[in-house]
Amino acid sequence: MWRVLRIFCVTMLLRCPACQRGQMFRTLFQMNVRCPVCGVVFERDAGEVTGAMAINTALMCLLAIVGAVLAIITDIPTGWLIGGTASVMILFGVFFYRHARAVWVGVLFLTGAIFEDV
Ligand SMILES: [Zn+2]
């Protein structure tokens, strides 16, 4: 359990789950293919980015649910609530993109899909 929590924290810092030192991203939205420190490949298959998209989508759905609950329990005008919730969801999706990909790489690492080449 501690290992899972440690890997989650390391990936939220956008660092390699294998060596915990290498940066995963070289630019704001561009992930390194390999860890610059240990050389591990972050996403071995092309479709592995879909896991990160699933994480991002699930969290944005939670934000939509929060917006729906606010619509029920508060007197905020509906237009403001829809606009505010949509804005927060879009901004969250953009700004959490790197972390979602990094967390997915952590999941892949924990399941053994990411390993050091020998
Ligand atoms: Zn590394």
Side-chain angles (χ1 to χ4, degrees), residues 1 3 14 32 37 46-47 57 61 69 77 87 93:
M1 185 64 192
R3 181 172 183 249
L14 306 178
N32 289 322
V37 175
T57 303
C61 285
V69 168
S87 301

PDB file of all heavy atoms in Angstrom, residues 1 3 14 32 37 46-47 57 61 69 77 87 93:
ATOM      1  N   MET A   1       0.817  -1.205   0.000  1.00  0.00           N
ATOM      2  CA  MET A   1       0.000   0.000   0.000  1.00  0.00           C
ATOM      3  C   MET A   1       0.854   1.260   0.000  1.00  0.00           C
ATOM      4  O   MET A   1       0.554   2.215  -0.696  1.00  0.00           O
ATOM      5  CB  MET A   1      -0.917  -0.032   1.224  1.00  0.00           C
ATOM      6  CG  MET A   1      -1.887   1.114   1.269  1.00  0.00           C
ATOM      7  SD  MET A   1      -3.023   1.029  -0.133  1.00  0.00           S
ATOM      8  CE  MET A   1      -3.772   2.608  -0.069  1.00  0.00           C
ATOM      9  N   ARG A   3       3.797   1.502  -1.179  1.00  0.00           N
ATOM     10  CA  ARG A   3       4.432   1.604  -2.494  1.00  0.00           C
ATOM     11  C   ARG A   3       3.495   2.312  -3.473  1.00  0.00           C
ATOM     12  O   ARG A   3       3.929   3.176  -4.234  1.00  0.00           O
ATOM     13  CB  ARG A   3       4.793   0.207  -3.006  1.00  0.00           C
ATOM     14  CG  ARG A   3       5.461   0.231  -4.337  1.00  0.00           C
ATOM     15  CD  ARG A   3       5.970  -1.166  -4.726  1.00  0.00           C
ATOM     16  NE  ARG A   3       6.672  -1.083  -5.971  1.00  0.00           N
ATOM     17  CZ  ARG A   3       6.220  -1.615  -7.119  1.00  0.00           C
ATOM     18  NH1 ARG A   3       5.111  -2.308  -7.128  1.00  0.00           N
ATOM     19  NH2 ARG A   3       6.903  -1.479  -8.220  1.00  0.00           N
ATOM     20  N   LEU A  14       5.332  14.592 -11.388  1.00  0.00           N
ATOM     21  CA  LEU A  14       5.752  14.424 -12.776  1.00  0.00           C
ATOM     22  C   LEU A  14       7.162  13.847 -12.870  1.00  0.00           C
ATOM     23  O   LEU A  14       7.951  14.228 -13.743  1.00  0.00           O
ATOM     24  CB  LEU A  14       5.648  15.744 -13.549  1.00  0.00           C
ATOM     25  CG  LEU A  14       4.287  16.434 -13.509  1.00  0.00           C
ATOM     26  CD1 LEU A  14       4.335  17.742 -14.266  1.00  0.00           C
ATOM     27  CD2 LEU A  14       3.207  15.523 -14.075  1.00  0.00           C
ATOM     28  N   ASN A  32       8.440  13.062 -22.351  1.00  0.00           N
ATOM     29  CA  ASN A  32       9.634  12.382 -22.822  1.00  0.00           C
ATOM     30  C   ASN A  32       9.281  10.941 -23.162  1.00  0.00           C
ATOM     31  O   ASN A  32       8.468  10.319 -22.496  1.00  0.00           O
ATOM     32  CB  ASN A  32      10.709  12.380 -21.732  1.00  0.00           C
ATOM     33  CG  ASN A  32      11.297  13.736 -21.508  1.00  0.00           C
ATOM     34  OD1 ASN A  32      11.507  14.499 -22.434  1.00  0.00           O
ATOM     35  ND2 ASN A  32      11.560  14.068 -20.245  1.00  0.00           N
ATOM     36  N   VAL A  37      16.969  10.008 -16.877  1.00  0.00           N
ATOM     37  CA  VAL A  37      17.914   9.503 -15.871  1.00  0.00           C
ATOM     38  C   VAL A  37      18.139   7.996 -16.031  1.00  0.00           C
ATOM     39  O   VAL A  37      19.255   7.533 -16.206  1.00  0.00           O
ATOM     40  CB  VAL A  37      17.423   9.833 -14.440  1.00  0.00           C
ATOM     41  CG1 VAL A  37      18.332   9.216 -13.398  1.00  0.00           C
ATOM     42  CG2 VAL A  37      17.323  11.340 -14.252  1.00  0.00           C
ATOM     43  N   ALA A  46       1.277   2.727 -28.310  1.00  0.00           N
ATOM     44  CA  ALA A  46       0.704   4.008 -28.747  1.00  0.00           C
ATOM     45  C   ALA A  46      -0.610   4.330 -28.044  1.00  0.00           C
ATOM     46  O   ALA A  46      -0.891   5.476 -27.766  1.00  0.00           O
ATOM     47  CB  ALA A  46       0.499   3.979 -30.250  1.00  0.00           C
ATOM     48  N   GLY A  47      -1.418   3.355 -27.721  1.00  0.00           N
ATOM     49  CA  GLY A  47      -2.731   3.612 -27.155  1.00  0.00           C
ATOM     50  C   GLY A  47      -2.755   3.815 -25.663  1.00  0.00           C
ATOM     51  O   GLY A  47      -3.838   3.973 -25.075  1.00  0.00           O
ATOM     52  N   THR A  57     -11.220  12.265 -17.774  1.00  0.00           N
ATOM     53  CA  THR A  57     -12.657  12.288 -18.017  1.00  0.00           C
ATOM     54  C   THR A  57     -13.437  11.961 -16.746  1.00  0.00           C
ATOM     55  O   THR A  57     -14.443  12.611 -16.436  1.00  0.00           O
ATOM     56  CB  THR A  57     -13.028  11.291 -19.131  1.00  0.00           C
ATOM     57  OG1 THR A  57     -12.282  11.625 -20.304  1.00  0.00           O
ATOM     58  CG2 THR A  57     -14.508  11.333 -19.442  1.00  0.00           C
ATOM     59  N   CYS A  61     -16.044  14.393 -14.836  1.00  0.00           N
ATOM     60  CA  CYS A  61     -17.421  13.975 -14.531  1.00  0.00           C
ATOM     61  C   CYS A  61     -17.741  14.252 -13.066  1.00  0.00           C
ATOM     62  O   CYS A  61     -18.870  14.656 -12.734  1.00  0.00           O
ATOM     63  CB  CYS A  61     -17.620  12.495 -14.847  1.00  0.00           C
ATOM     64  SG  CYS A  61     -17.740  12.166 -16.600  1.00  0.00           S
ATOM     65  N   VAL A  69     -24.944  19.064  -8.048  1.00  0.00           N
ATOM     66  CA  VAL A  69     -25.325  19.135  -6.628  1.00  0.00           C
ATOM     67  C   VAL A  69     -25.488  20.592  -6.204  1.00  0.00           C
ATOM     68  O   VAL A  69     -26.430  20.935  -5.482  1.00  0.00           O
ATOM     69  CB  VAL A  69     -24.272  18.406  -5.749  1.00  0.00           C
ATOM     70  CG1 VAL A  69     -24.484  18.713  -4.281  1.00  0.00           C
ATOM     71  CG2 VAL A  69     -24.330  16.909  -6.007  1.00  0.00           C
ATOM     72  N   PRO A  77     -27.864  31.215  -9.932  1.00  0.00           N
ATOM     73  CA  PRO A  77     -28.583  31.173 -11.209  1.00  0.00           C
ATOM     74  C   PRO A  77     -28.027  30.077 -12.133  1.00  0.00           C
ATOM     75  O   PRO A  77     -26.813  29.869 -12.210  1.00  0.00           O
ATOM     76  CB  PRO A  77     -28.331  32.555 -11.800  1.00  0.00           C
ATOM     77  CG  PRO A  77     -27.987  33.418 -10.635  1.00  0.00           C
ATOM     78  CD  PRO A  77     -27.325  32.532  -9.629  1.00  0.00           C
ATOM     79  N   SER A  87     -16.576  25.996 -17.403  1.00  0.00           N
ATOM     80  CA  SER A  87     -15.251  26.631 -17.403  1.00  0.00           C
ATOM     81  C   SER A  87     -14.282  25.875 -16.518  1.00  0.00           C
ATOM     82  O   SER A  87     -13.134  25.631 -16.905  1.00  0.00           O
ATOM     83  CB  SER A  87     -15.358  28.079 -16.914  1.00  0.00           C
ATOM     84  OG  SER A  87     -16.226  28.802 -17.728  1.00  0.00           O
ATOM     85  N   GLY A  93      -9.387  20.082 -17.145  1.00  0.00           N
ATOM     86  CA  GLY A  93      -8.941  19.110 -18.143  1.00  0.00           C
ATOM     87  C   GLY A  93      -7.617  19.481 -18.764  1.00  0.00           C
ATOM     88  O   GLY A  93      -6.755  18.630 -18.986  1.00  0.00           O
TER      89      GLY A  93
END
